[in-house]
Amino acid sequence: MSAQPDLLYSEEEEALRAAVRDLLTDHCDAAGVIARTESDTPHDLALWKSLADGMGLAGLLVPEAQGGQGATHREVAVVLEELGRAVAPVPYLTSAVVVTEALLACGDEELLGRLASGRTIGALAVGLHSAPGAAFKAVRLENGTLHGELTGIADAAAADVLLVPADDGGLYAVAADAVTVTPQPSLDLTRPLATVTLDGAPARRIGDAEPAVRRALRSAAGLLASEQLGVADWALTETVQYLKERKQFNRPLGGFQAIKHRLAQLWLEVVNLRAAARAAADALASGEDTDLTVAVAQAYAAPVAVHAAEEALQLHAGIGMTWEHPIHLYLKRAKADSIAYGTAGAHREALAELVDLRAP
């Protein structure tokens, strides 16, 4: 019988949270994020350097023997909660989780060490919408070079190296300067998408694509729930604070019964999301009931994060509709996350298969 998951945060995890939040408070304010989304450089590489190189967070999942921190998915989840609270425009989930997990499956220690140091950023050339276990597009391998086009690749513009699946079943490492990266319209401006075109790109095989991609996407889906928790928790906290201060008919808006009911419902949803996200992180760390727990977390996380952001927008009234207020960043992140690494519906279907409750 499997052990009960530990949903509580350890002292070390709380200390990590405090350090990351302090850094983001100083270097990732809302006005700066909004300004960056309007520029040609949406990624904040200075912030990435502070997180990855300064704090060593890029290598949390990498064993110490390979240049990393030797931590677990639980610590990564705490970092992603804080990055979600700040909608930080850094390629942490895509590089420090997705690509790192793929490389751990392949055993490429040299590239893994470069990623762990934070000096190399990676991107997996699989569409952001791809669910764990789903089919993914591969490019053509011809005379040792890759040919083809892949769309919906998250954070490709910031990557130094791409991991590309090919039609021979292999996963190949390709230098970013050997491909053409074309930005795509993206709802979430803090995690831009791109089309990657390979026209005879030289490549080095690092392992088998199917198990590596499956492992990477499963971890991504499970840990995305922690980012969605950060988004939802920010939306709830900021909305409660605003409704305490904003007055109507000489009463705080938060004092009206109808508003209280909406906030109470939202609080319950966020608390439940925290439990689901923590369970997913613990399952990824322990290897116990991982597929099942990740599917539960993602089936629940997306609707809650979207609902929290929508409630924040509406309960902030007119100011919530303005570009200057950061709520739109959170709503866009929540909506984009709701289709990242599989929709809630896709994860419900996977869950039904896992517990043998398929629809008739």
Side-chain angles (χ1 to χ4, degrees):
M1 185 175 179
S2 61
Q4 291 295 317
D6 180 7
L7 305 186
L8 300 178
Y9 299 98
S10 67
E11 289 184 15
E12 292 79 7
E13 288 164 356
E14 290 292 7
L16 175 61
R17 177 196 306 285
V20 174
R21 187 175 294 190
D22 285 347
L23 177 67
L24 294 173
T25 299
D26 292 339
H27 300 288
C28 191
D29 63 296
V33 175
I34 292 172
R36 191 166 286 281
T37 61
E38 297 176 316
S39 72
D40 295 330
T41 55
H43 292 102
D44 190 342
L45 296 183
L47 176 61
W48 168 258
K49 182 175 175 61
S50 297
L51 289 165
D53 195 14
M55 297 184 69
L57 300 182
L60 285 180
L61 292 178
V62 180
E64 291 184 46
Q66 296 168 10
Q69 306 300 319
T72 72
H73 300 80
R74 292 173 59 94
E75 288 80 15
V76 174
V78 170
V79 174
L80 283 167
E81 281 183 41
E82 294 307 310
L83 294 177
R85 286 180 63 89
V87 285
V90 291
Y92 190 83
L93 182 63
T94 47
S95 184
V97 175
V98 178
V99 174
T100 297
E101 287 278 26
L103 290 173
L104 286 169
C106 295
D108 190 302
E109 294 192 8
E110 186 271 333
L111 188 51
L112 199 55
R114 284 163 47 196
L115 252 74
S117 72
R119 288 186 286 274
T120 294
I121 297 172
L124 180 66
V126 172
L128 183 64
H129 62 281
S130 303
F136 51 87
K137 186 176 179 181
V139 298
R140 189 174 81 258
L141 177 67
E142 190 176 292
N143 298 324
T145 60
L146 299 180
H147 304 258
E149 183 177 275
L150 300 163
T151 59
I153 310 304
D155 294 332
D160 303 301
V161 63
L162 297 161
L163 302 190
V164 184
D167 57 5
D168 71 334
L171 187 65
Y172 289 81
V174 181
D177 56 11
V179 305
T180 303
V181 176
T182 308
Q184 286 181 243
S186 174
L187 177 63
D188 179 9
L189 301 176
T190 63
R191 181 175 286 144
L193 304 178
T195 296
V196 174
T197 305
L198 302 101
D199 186 13
R204 176 174 64 87
R205 182 178 174 126
I206 59 173
D208 295 332
E210 201 279 333
V213 171
R214 179 185 292 269
R215 173 174 172 168
L217 296 184
R218 185 180 69 174
S219 289
L223 291 172
L224 180 66
S226 291
E227 179 183 287
Q228 290 164 310
L229 169 61
V231 169
D233 192 51
W234 179 92
L236 174 61
T237 302
E238 289 296 313
T239 303
V240 169
Q241 185 64 34
Y242 174 76
L243 293 176
K244 285 180 178 179
E245 298 171 353
R246 181 77 168 86
K247 292 186 178 180
Q248 188 73 40
F249 305 116
N250 208 31
R251 286 180 58 191
L253 275 175
F256 290 94
Q257 194 72 10
I259 299 294
K260 287 182 179 180
H261 286 168
R262 288 170 70 171
L263 292 174
Q265 177 61 35
L266 194 57
W267 182 83
L268 286 173
E269 291 178 14
V270 173
V271 168
N272 290 338
L273 172 52
R274 187 180 303 280
R278 293 298 295 164
D282 188 70
L284 286 164
S286 68
E288 294 278 349
D289 297 325
T290 308
D291 290 338
L292 182 70
T293 312
V294 167
V296 168
Q298 267 310 309
Y300 188 76
V304 171
V306 172
H307 182 221
E310 289 175 343
E311 286 287 75
L313 182 76
Q314 293 183 16
L315 293 175
H316 274 78
I319 66 167
M321 297 291 184
T322 63
W323 186 263
E324 289 76 17
H325 199 284
I327 289 178
H328 65 94
L329 295 174
Y330 290 85
L331 180 57
K332 291 168 183 173
R333 173 65 70 90
K335 292 291 282 186
D337 280 356
S338 71
I339 59 172
Y341 307 118
T343 62
H347 287 283
R348 281 193 291 270
E349 288 183 16
L351 182 59
E353 290 284 336
L354 288 166
V355 298
D356 200 24
L357 283 175
R358 293 177 289 275

